[in-house]
Amino acid sequence: MLITSIGQGLLWAPLVIGVFLTFRILNIPDLTTEGSFPLGAAVTISAMLAGQSAIVASLFGFVAGCLAGWVTGLLDTKLKMPSLLAGILTMTGLYSINMHIMGKANIPLLDQKTLMGWLPASWSLNLQTIVIGAVVTLVVLVGLIWLFQTRLGLSLMATGNNPAMSAANGIYTDRMVIIGYMLSNGLIALSGGLIAQSNGYADIGMGIGTIVIGLASVLVGEIFLHGRQIWVRLTGMVVGAIIYRYLLTLAMGLGFPVNDLKILSAAILVIVICLPLLQNKYRTKRQLRRYLKEIGVDQHATTNYSERPTLTKSLLSRNQQRAARLKGRESND
């Protein structure tokens, strides 16, 4: 179960990293994901059926995803559409485009050699999936870590942090946003091509719920591995993808039907969103109890609404007494 989760998680890792780029770096909720993921699968499988190698077909899928992100970026920056609406429009249009590319709702691979087929046939399918997923994910991580050390990558992060200040410092924020969209959806489409090769087919509906999968994996990764350095954050996305796939595999092992995977994905997303909020609330209450204990105030008084005015007055009187003592000391000096 764990080995299978690692292999599938590594194949989904480019999608999670792509969602991370728009959601965390650019602070943009991009719904193009649910259209660019099946787009990458459709282009990759169609190119392989047309005689292209698996590597070239996967690159075609990446480029197709970049074009989808470019369209969303133009709608967002040049036509000044809200980012959510721009993503929805592109996602809707991609449904028809994917149907035209595939010609039907589902196209299977026949005898085409996938990326896993380049490895020794004596290896198990799980091992082949892990190796291919690890190689692709490593290339993506190294490329992005290098990118974010360049001026372009720093401008991309600055645009997401403070667009107004970035524009004031001469950064073409519209161009950075478009590049972010393209890179994000390119990685998402690449993941779609990898998943399609692993499954042996491309389906028009395989993109449904991918935004939930991506967001849940991002949040899970930030819980288990968080930091300010970009390489730590990107590695956390890979860890989040693996853990998320393991949770789904564990749920299926407990007897949950396949039809309930979407609602399980939504439930996991709710949990990982609420967990940090509950942790912060508990931490705040604990700090408040410690502070009240230090100043000698009954902590149970804070839970009684009728006693809160008295508590507030007592705190104010103590502060006034302290201020008077300090003022008296200063006058004596």
Side-chain angles (χ1 to χ4, degrees), residues 20 24 27 70 73 85 127 155 159 166 256 287 294 316 330:
F20 167 79
R24 288 303 192 200
N27 293 320
W70 176 72
L85 179 59
L127 181 59
S155 300
T159 300
S166 300
F256 286 91
Q287 292 174 351
E294 289 176 356
L316 289 175
E330 291 178 356

Side-chain angles (χ1 to χ4, degrees), residues 7-20:
Q8 289 298 311
L10 290 173
L11 296 183
W12 283 91
L15 177 139
V16 179
I17 295 174
V19 173
F20 167 79

Side-chain angles (χ1 to χ4, degrees), residues 128-143:
Q128 292 176 347
T129 304
I130 290 175
V131 171
I132 294 299
V135 170
V136 174
T137 302
L138 183 62
V139 171
V140 171
L141 288 178
V142 172

Side-chain angles (χ1 to χ4, degrees), residues 10 13 16-17 20 137-138 141-142 145 217 221-222 224-226 229-242:
L10 290 173
V16 179
I17 295 174
F20 167 79
T137 302
L138 183 62
L141 288 178
V142 172
I145 291 172
S217 301
E222 291 177 341
F224 284 91
L225 189 62
H226 58 276
Q229 295 178 321
I230 190 64
W231 71 269
V232 176
R233 301 178 71 184
L234 291 174
T235 305
M237 299 305 101
V238 180
V239 174
I242 294 174

Side-chain angles (χ1 to χ4, degrees), residues 1 13 15-16 50 147 150 172 191 250:
M1 184 182 295
L15 177 139
V16 179
L147 174 66
T150 64
Y172 295 99
S191 180
L250 183 63

Side-chain angles (χ1 to χ4, degrees), residues 314-327:
S314 63
L315 291 175
L316 289 175
S317 62
R318 292 191 182 195
N319 291 333
Q320 291 173 356
Q321 292 175 5
R322 290 179 182 177
R325 291 197 204 100
L326 292 175
K327 188 175 182 180

Side-chain angles (χ1 to χ4, degrees), residues 14-15 17 19 47 114 123 130 211 220 243 309:
L15 177 139
I17 295 174
V19 173
T114 64
W123 292 8
I130 290 175
I211 185 62
V220 169
I243 294 176

Side-chain angles (χ1 to χ4, degrees), residues 20 60 81 87 104 123 186 195 200 255-256 261 278 298:
F20 167 79
F60 282 170
M81 289 186 181
K104 51 185 178 180
W123 292 8
I195 295 298
F256 286 91
L261 287 181
L278 295 176
D298 185 9

